[in-house]
Amino acid sequence: MNNKAILEKANAAVSSGDNEGFLAFCTDDTVWTFVGDQTLRGKEAVRQYMAKAYKEPPKFMVAQLIAEGDFVTALGTISMKNDAGQLIDYEYCDVWTFREGKMAELKAFVITT
């Protein structure tokens, strides 16, 4: 499977509420950087983030997926509920770095719309 297809399968898992299915596509030492916010180091940190942030599965709309070598960039929108249960819409640009067929690093640019 190519990197673009891997990301599509991983996103399908998280959209269906299968966080562990998503995490199976990540390296154990994955690093997620939300630019201007926080950095998560390791699969367990990402697992904890997902459990908190994705109380309900997020709704993705991927407008573009651009793959080049070990990188896949995804542009689109995501809707998630906040702590008060209110649905919030975001625009995002995710730059994924792959290593040996797994998602090793994420640099995410996310803004509320």
Side-chain angles (χ1 to χ4, degrees), residues 65-80:
L65 268 181
I66 305 158
E68 178 71 31
D70 291 332
F71 301 95
V72 177
T73 300
L75 298 145
T77 59
I78 184 172
S79 299
M80 300 185 305

Side-chain angles (χ1 to χ4, degrees), residues 72-92:
V72 177
T73 300
L75 298 145
T77 59
I78 184 172
S79 299
M80 300 185 305
K81 288 194 175 179
N82 64 13
D83 290 336
Q86 181 181 26
L87 194 64
I88 307 294
D89 296 322
Y90 302 90
E91 293 278 335
Y92 73 90

Side-chain angles (χ1 to χ4, degrees), residues 96-111:
W96 290 95
T97 303
F98 284 75
R99 186 174 69 237
E100 298 174 359
K102 292 203 171 199
M103 298 181 298
E105 186 175 344
L106 166 64
K107 185 170 271 194
F109 302 85
V110 183
I111 59 169

